[in-house]
Amino acid sequence: MICPECGSVVAIKRNRCDRCGSDLTTYKKVTMLSNMYYNEGLEKAKVRDLSGAILVLKKSLEMNKRNTNARNLLGLVYYEVGETVAALSEWVISKHFQAKDNDADEYMEALQSNPTKLETLNQTIKKYNSALQSAKQDSDDLAIIQLKKVTSLNPHFVKALQLLALLYMKNGEDEKALKALTKASKIDVSNTTTLRYLHELEKKADLSQDGGKSAK
């Protein structure tokens, strides 16, 4: 355990820092709670409940911002849902708190060893934001073109798949919307936005079937 006041290594059984004398009782409880949330986030990540993992890992870091295990995992989850910039930010912060023997080195090296891929992934964030602005301005056709490019470059970008599906739904292209949402649900199985859109498609299909029966 690391003393939050002076940075000294303290035996886990100790309630007071031998070097600066700080009372570590509360800090130990908070650290245990942070680790509990980290373990919960790890379990969620293993079953691809990635949005759920993000929520509990953020709670872990609220309890203990120095929990590099939680921060590194949060970075991995962000990367898995296509948010590369957010992932790198978490790993950089992790390195700040733990300069040596940090798995973040491996994760960042894997990305930065391929500058072309990193630049491509970074560009997808910018293209997504541009598509979002186009959608807000009701330029649906332009937004769809931009999002199709984004999802071809970064097939795991969940937010881009969701926005693409929403625009397809808005324009009555439900089959295309379903295809995009199916891809998103395979990446993050419990994402509430994806599930809500799928539910809307299901309701629309049911109403359509009921209408057809009534007409007969």
Side-chain angles (χ1 to χ4, degrees):
M1 180 173 61
I2 304 296
C3 174
E5 295 297 325
C6 69
S8 298
V9 177
V10 183
I12 194 67
K13 293 182 179 180
R14 303 284 294 175
N15 290 323
R16 191 171 295 278
C17 177
D18 296 325
R19 181 178 178 184
C20 69
S22 297
D23 186 350
L24 302 176
T25 306
T26 301
Y27 178 70
K28 284 176 66 175
K29 290 179 181 179
V30 169
T31 300
M32 289 177 64
L33 187 58
S34 175
N35 289 336
M36 183 192 74
Y37 281 128
Y38 161 71
N39 289 327
E40 184 179 347
L42 182 60
E43 291 305 310
K44 287 181 178 294
K46 286 179 179 178
V47 296
R48 301 203 69 81
D49 178 7
L50 302 185
S51 50
I54 288 172
L55 287 174
V56 293
L57 289 169
K58 284 183 174 180
K59 288 183 179 179
S60 173
L61 294 171
E62 287 175 6
M63 297 294 103
N64 178 14
K65 65 182 181 181
R66 295 174 179 271
N67 190 336
T68 53
N69 286 331
R71 199 171 290 281
N72 288 343
L73 180 57
L74 180 58
L76 287 173
V77 174
Y78 275 140
Y79 181 76
E80 186 62 18
V81 297
E83 299 186 35
T84 313
V85 174
L88 281 170
S89 296
E90 295 300 334
W91 295 332
V92 169
I93 296 170
S94 175
K95 280 288 293 178
H96 171 73
F97 289 125
Q98 184 182 331
K100 296 180 180 180
D101 300 322
N102 191 329
D103 289 339
D105 285 323
E106 178 184 342
Y107 306 147
M108 287 190 290
E109 174 62 25
L111 262 183
Q112 295 170 342
S113 62
N114 190 340
T116 302
K117 179 182 179 181
L118 180 59
E119 177 59 23
T120 298
L121 291 173
N122 287 339
Q123 284 298 319
T124 61
I125 304 291
K126 296 178 182 178
K127 290 179 185 296
Y128 167 76
N129 289 331
S130 178
L132 185 59
Q133 288 303 313
S134 296
K136 288 179 178 178
Q137 295 166 4
D138 291 324
S139 299
D140 292 357
D141 290 343
L142 176 58
I144 287 171
I145 291 170
Q146 292 170 319
L147 289 166
K148 287 170 72 175
K149 180 67 172 178
V150 168
T151 55
S152 69
L153 293 171
N154 189 352
H156 277 226
F157 199 165
V158 171
K159 286 183 178 179
L161 288 167
Q162 290 170 338
L163 181 56
L164 181 59
L166 182 62
L167 291 171
Y168 280 143
M169 291 165 66
K170 179 182 175 183
N171 289 278
E173 299 183 85
D174 291 351
E175 287 188 9
K176 291 182 179 180
L178 179 59
K179 186 176 179 180
L181 291 171
T182 300
K183 290 179 180 178
S185 66
K186 288 180 179 178
I187 299 164
D188 182 6
V189 298
S190 298
N191 188 289
T192 54
T193 299
T194 300
L195 294 175
R196 185 171 74 251
Y197 292 169
L198 284 169
H199 182 61
E200 289 298 321
L201 281 178
E202 186 179 347
K203 282 202 305 181
K204 188 175 179 181
D206 289 344
L207 286 172
S208 178
Q209 288 178 356
D210 290 342
K213 290 177 182 178
S214 298
K216 292 178 182 179

